[in-house]
mmCIF file of all heavy atoms in Angstrom:
data_model
loop_
_atom_site.group_PDB
_atom_site.id
_atom_site.type_symbol
_atom_site.label_atom_id
_atom_site.label_comp_id
_atom_site.label_asym_id
_atom_site.label_seq_id
_atom_site.Cartn_x
_atom_site.Cartn_y
_atom_site.Cartn_z
ATOM 1 N N ILE A 8 -9.471 7.754 -6.089
ATOM 2 C CA ILE A 8 -10.078 6.677 -5.306
ATOM 3 C C ILE A 8 -9.993 5.332 -6.019
ATOM 4 O O ILE A 8 -9.838 4.293 -5.375
ATOM 5 C CB ILE A 8 -11.554 7.031 -4.949
ATOM 6 C CG1 ILE A 8 -12.116 6.058 -3.915
ATOM 7 C CG2 ILE A 8 -12.417 7.066 -6.203
ATOM 8 C CD1 ILE A 8 -11.465 6.141 -2.571
ATOM 9 N N ASP A 9 -10.055 5.341 -7.340
ATOM 10 C CA ASP A 9 -9.999 4.076 -8.084
ATOM 11 C C ASP A 9 -8.636 3.405 -7.938
ATOM 12 O O ASP A 9 -8.542 2.180 -7.837
ATOM 13 C CB ASP A 9 -10.321 4.319 -9.566
ATOM 14 C CG ASP A 9 -11.767 4.726 -9.779
ATOM 15 O OD1 ASP A 9 -12.645 4.130 -9.129
ATOM 16 O OD2 ASP A 9 -12.028 5.641 -10.579
ATOM 17 N N GLU A 10 -7.584 4.213 -7.919
ATOM 18 C CA GLU A 10 -6.241 3.666 -7.712
ATOM 19 C C GLU A 10 -6.138 3.044 -6.323
ATOM 20 O O GLU A 10 -5.555 1.961 -6.153
ATOM 21 C CB GLU A 10 -5.202 4.778 -7.881
ATOM 22 C CG GLU A 10 -3.762 4.293 -7.729
ATOM 23 C CD GLU A 10 -2.762 5.438 -7.758
ATOM 24 O OE1 GLU A 10 -3.187 6.608 -7.825
ATOM 25 O OE2 GLU A 10 -1.554 5.151 -7.677
ATOM 26 N N TYR A 11 -6.706 3.718 -5.335
ATOM 27 C CA TYR A 11 -6.696 3.213 -3.959
ATOM 28 C C TYR A 11 -7.466 1.900 -3.861
ATOM 29 O O TYR A 11 -7.003 0.931 -3.243
ATOM 30 C CB TYR A 11 -7.307 4.270 -3.047
ATOM 31 C CG TYR A 11 -7.415 3.891 -1.591
ATOM 32 C CD1 TYR A 11 -6.331 3.387 -0.880
ATOM 33 C CD2 TYR A 11 -8.618 4.060 -0.906
ATOM 34 C CE1 TYR A 11 -6.427 3.058 0.463
ATOM 35 C CE2 TYR A 11 -8.731 3.740 0.441
ATOM 36 C CZ TYR A 11 -7.633 3.236 1.116
ATOM 37 O OH TYR A 11 -7.747 2.905 2.445
ATOM 38 N N ILE A 12 -8.632 1.838 -4.497
ATOM 39 C CA ILE A 12 -9.440 0.615 -4.483
ATOM 40 C C ILE A 12 -8.680 -0.534 -5.132
ATOM 41 O O ILE A 12 -8.645 -1.660 -4.609
ATOM 42 C CB ILE A 12 -10.791 0.864 -5.177
ATOM 43 C CG1 ILE A 12 -11.683 1.742 -4.291
ATOM 44 C CG2 ILE A 12 -11.497 -0.461 -5.501
ATOM 45 C CD1 ILE A 12 -12.963 2.217 -4.964
ATOM 46 N N ALA A 13 -8.047 -0.255 -6.265
ATOM 47 C CA ALA A 13 -7.299 -1.304 -6.968
ATOM 48 C C ALA A 13 -6.154 -1.825 -6.102
ATOM 49 O O ALA A 13 -5.892 -3.038 -6.064
ATOM 50 C CB ALA A 13 -6.767 -0.756 -8.289
ATOM 51 N N ASP A 14 -5.491 -0.923 -5.400
ATOM 52 C CA ASP A 14 -4.380 -1.333 -4.535
ATOM 53 C C ASP A 14 -4.894 -2.180 -3.368
ATOM 54 O O ASP A 14 -4.273 -3.180 -2.977
ATOM 55 C CB ASP A 14 -3.653 -0.092 -4.016
ATOM 56 C CG ASP A 14 -2.176 -0.365 -3.739
ATOM 57 O OD1 ASP A 14 -1.721 -1.486 -4.001
ATOM 58 O OD2 ASP A 14 -1.480 0.557 -3.267
ATOM 59 N N LEU A 15 -6.032 -1.789 -2.795
ATOM 60 C CA LEU A 15 -6.619 -2.573 -1.707
ATOM 61 C C LEU A 15 -7.026 -3.960 -2.195
ATOM 62 O O LEU A 15 -6.795 -4.962 -1.504
ATOM 63 C CB LEU A 15 -7.840 -1.848 -1.135
ATOM 64 C CG LEU A 15 -7.570 -0.725 -0.133
ATOM 65 C CD1 LEU A 15 -8.837 0.074 0.115
ATOM 66 C CD2 LEU A 15 -7.041 -1.290 1.188
ATOM 67 N N GLN A 16 -7.614 -4.026 -3.360
ATOM 68 C CA GLN A 16 -8.023 -5.322 -3.911
ATOM 69 C C GLN A 16 -6.814 -6.224 -4.151
ATOM 70 O O GLN A 16 -6.878 -7.425 -3.904
ATOM 71 C CB GLN A 16 -8.816 -5.105 -5.198
ATOM 72 C CG GLN A 16 -10.194 -4.506 -4.955
ATOM 73 C CD GLN A 16 -10.910 -4.071 -6.222
ATOM 74 O OE1 GLN A 16 -10.261 -3.724 -7.214
ATOM 75 N NE2 GLN A 16 -12.231 -4.066 -6.197
ATOM 76 N N ALA A 17 -5.715 -5.619 -4.599
ATOM 77 C CA ALA A 17 -4.487 -6.401 -4.795
ATOM 78 C C ALA A 17 -3.945 -6.884 -3.451
ATOM 79 O O ALA A 17 -3.495 -8.035 -3.330
ATOM 80 C CB ALA A 17 -3.444 -5.550 -5.515
ATOM 81 N N ALA A 18 -3.997 -6.030 -2.447
ATOM 82 C CA ALA A 18 -3.520 -6.418 -1.119
ATOM 83 C C ALA A 18 -4.362 -7.540 -0.544
ATOM 84 O O ALA A 18 -3.840 -8.441 0.131
ATOM 85 C CB ALA A 18 -3.548 -5.199 -0.190
ATOM 86 N N LEU A 32 -11.494 -1.086 2.167
ATOM 87 C CA LEU A 32 -12.098 -1.223 0.841
ATOM 88 C C LEU A 32 -13.579 -0.868 0.893
ATOM 89 O O LEU A 32 -14.102 -0.171 0.011
ATOM 90 C CB LEU A 32 -11.897 -2.647 0.313
ATOM 91 C CG LEU A 32 -12.528 -2.941 -1.055
ATOM 92 C CD1 LEU A 32 -11.980 -2.006 -2.125
ATOM 93 C CD2 LEU A 32 -12.280 -4.407 -1.442
#
Side-chain angles (χ1 to χ4, degrees):
I8 191 66
D9 292 318
E10 182 186 4
Y11 178 51
I12 288 172
D14 209 3
L15 279 168
Q16 289 171 332
L32 178 59

